[in-house]
Amino acid sequence: MKKKAILLALGFAALSTTTITAQAGSIAAGKDAFETCRGCHSAVGSSNVYPTYYVPKVGGQVEAYTVSALKAYQASNRPHRTMMANAYDMSEQRMEDIAAYLAQVEGGSKKAIANGGDKAKGKKLAAACMACHNDDTTAGATNPRLAGQHANFLEKALREYQSGKRNNALMQSMVQGLSEEDIKDISAYFNSLKGLTAVK
């Protein structure tokens, strides 16, 4: 378990050095651009048909990370057909605008749907994760906020890194040793924290 924590710490530290080149976006333009996204990302408990998981909360997400996630969908490095379709011809400026809007969103639902995992065990397992996923939202932050995310969405993301469906070599290498129980418990821990919101 100690070896697993060390490997996770090294991977997340390396991930934090990844260059993300998001430019300043327009909040007003981002609010307008987000209208096509609002149907899914504003409803607490809205879920994907198959496989079933809750649509992620994106209110309060780190700007640079939102841009990098949209670019990953655009490049087909994340396997979600609706998101890939929405991002395929999106300009970088539009991504930056949406990211700027989401970063400052307040007032949406903080309700996070749990998975029944052991958050105390998850806290211990996630200690290494906190080097990067520490809920830093200051200017220049690049790592995604996980606090308050729906647990089964976090589980899905970790499994996709394990399988290679999410194409990120660092994350893939860091999660390979996690068991299904580990994934559930880590997700339960981040789910229990206050952070992300559904967009109002």
Side-chain angles (χ1 to χ4, degrees):
M1 177 125 123
K2 200 178 236 182
K3 183 178 177 185
K4 188 186 301 180
I6 292 169
L7 286 172
L8 282 167
L10 290 173
F12 286 127
L15 182 61
S16 69
T17 64
T18 303
T19 302
I20 301 176
T21 58
Q23 303 296 314
S26 162
I27 293 170
K31 183 177 181 179
D32 289 342
F34 188 74
E35 286 307 311
T36 58
C37 317
R38 196 172 294 279
C40 294
H41 289 286
S42 294
V44 178
S46 176
S47 65
N48 200 56
V49 177
Y50 180 82
T52 303
Y53 59 87
Y54 293 107
V55 175
K57 295 193 290 182
V58 293
Q61 188 55 272
V62 172
E63 282 187 57
Y65 173 72
T66 298
V67 173
S68 70
L70 289 169
K71 286 182 177 179
Y73 286 118
Q74 189 174 62
S76 300
N77 288 334
R78 288 196 183 181
H80 189 283
R81 290 184 180 183
T82 303
M83 286 300 302
M84 288 163 63
N86 285 331
Y88 89 97
D89 64 348
M90 192 179 287
S91 70
E92 185 165 352
Q93 184 61 56
R94 191 175 180 87
M95 293 179 187
E96 291 159 3
D97 294 342
I98 290 172
Y101 168 65
L102 291 177
Q104 57 77 54
V105 165
E106 295 180 356
S109 173
K110 294 183 179 179
K111 180 180 178 183
I113 300 169
N115 64 356
D118 187 327
K119 63 184 179 184
K121 287 182 181 177
K123 182 176 181 179
K124 292 178 183 177
L125 288 167
C129 312
M130 299 306 286
C132 294
H133 298 291
N134 53 19
D135 220 33
D136 180 10
T137 58
T138 56
T142 59
N143 298 308
R145 295 180 80 186
L146 305 181
Q149 188 58 270
H150 300 307
N152 73 352
F153 178 78
L154 293 172
E155 289 182 53
K156 170 186 173 289
L158 288 170
R159 290 189 192 105
E160 286 183 351
Y161 283 122
Q162 279 188 332
S163 70
K165 286 184 178 180
R166 285 199 181 200
N167 187 11
N168 183 300
L170 288 171
M171 282 297 296
Q172 288 165 355
S173 66
M174 290 305 102
V175 300
Q176 287 307 317
L178 296 177
S179 67
E180 278 294 309
E181 184 178 358
D182 291 339
I183 288 173
K184 187 170 185 175
D185 292 344
I186 290 170
S187 300
Y189 170 65
F190 280 110
N191 169 258
S192 72
L193 303 176
K194 298 297 181 187
L196 296 167
T197 66
V199 182
K200 191 173 180 180

